[in-house]
Amino acid sequence: MIRVLIADDQHLVRGALAALLNLEADITVVAECADGDEVAPALDTQPADIALLDVQMPRQDGLRTAAELKTSHPEVKVLILTTFDRPGYFRQAFEAGAHGFLVKDSPPAELIAAIRRVYLGDKVVDPQRAMLSVETQNNPLTEREREILGFAATGAPVSKIASTVHLSAGTVRNHLSNAIGKTNTTNRIEAARIAADQGWI
């Protein structure tokens, strides 16, 4: 029996996935999480073979969660699901230790087959997305620039970002300026949009 944990902040999506997977004779959903920061604690009490993670969740995204599980629960294989078919997400998913990557509009049979393949130790890689990932520019942003640009994308003012990341407002402005230059944009909102489109934040 393949034990699956599902993490998705959308209750209807999470429930639909669980209902779909539980119809399979060899798959059982053992836990459901509404955010990435719930995954590791859930696995401590309810072991799973595969963690099915949404990329975008409010408190902790699927990519960060995948990287966390690589250390805290290395026995759990990660399959990333996303609504956004962005080459940057694809690359980041595998860098974080994921074993597979699917967009949410994939046919149900493709998802079920991917779970079985990942369980057996295979990597689920769509050739077209892999090629797009190779052709897309590598993320030019530093980890700190990504973090600050992520906050900027929400519209947070510099003072609030500075307080959140424990830096001075001047340092935050410098990081934003660097990010704007690297994305060839004119302001932080545009920089955040380009970075998000590329899957860099």
Side-chain angles (χ1 to χ4, degrees):
M1 185 66 72
I2 305 172
R3 300 167 299 175
V4 177
L5 173 147
I6 299 172
D8 194 303
D9 60 306
Q10 296 181 359
H11 181 76
L12 285 175
V13 172
R14 196 169 66 246
L17 285 171
L20 172 71
L21 297 180
N22 281 328
L23 291 174
E24 300 299 310
D26 59 339
I27 299 175
T28 182
V29 175
V30 297
E32 297 180 38
C33 300
D35 214 303
D37 58 1
E38 300 175 8
V39 173
L43 290 170
D44 288 338
T45 58
Q46 189 60 66
D49 302 299
I50 293 176
L52 197 60
L53 308 178
D54 184 25
V55 164
Q56 292 196 331
M57 291 181 279
R59 295 189 302 273
Q60 181 170 303
D61 65 38
L63 300 174
R64 182 175 162 197
T65 303
E68 177 183 275
L69 295 183
K70 189 163 58 171
T71 300
S72 66
H73 296 82
E75 75 284 357
V76 179
K77 297 179 174 69
V78 171
L79 183 56
I80 295 287
L81 283 180
T82 180
T83 305
F84 307 98
D85 190 5
R86 294 171 179 163
Y89 280 160
F90 180 89
R91 187 189 307 110
Q92 288 179 56
F94 286 98
E95 288 175 352
H99 293 75
F101 183 97
L102 289 176
V103 290
K104 285 183 177 178
D105 63 358
S106 299
E110 187 175 332
L111 170 61
I112 292 164
I115 288 172
R116 291 179 177 136
R117 286 179 57 196
V118 167
Y119 177 73
L120 293 173
D122 293 343
K123 293 270 190 180
V124 177
V125 180
D126 180 293
Q128 183 178 2
R129 291 188 186 99
M131 184 56 66
L132 283 172
S133 178
V134 170
E135 293 172 350
T136 301
Q137 178 187 1
N138 287 331
N139 188 345
L141 304 172
T142 66
E143 184 175 347
R144 182 64 88 176
E145 287 164 357
R146 288 177 57 199
E147 179 185 24
I148 289 173
L149 205 54
F151 285 116
T154 68
V158 168
S159 58
K160 183 174 181 181
I161 297 173
S163 174
T164 303
V165 299
H166 307 293
L167 293 173
S168 71
T171 301
V172 168
R173 288 191 188 93
N174 286 338
H175 283 301
L176 287 171
S177 177
N178 290 339
I180 290 167
K182 289 177 179 179
T183 54
N184 294 315
T185 53
T186 58
N187 59 65
R188 58 184 179 146
I189 300 302
E190 190 179 344
R193 180 182 60 78
I194 293 296
D197 286 345
Q198 291 294 326
W200 295 340
I201 61 173

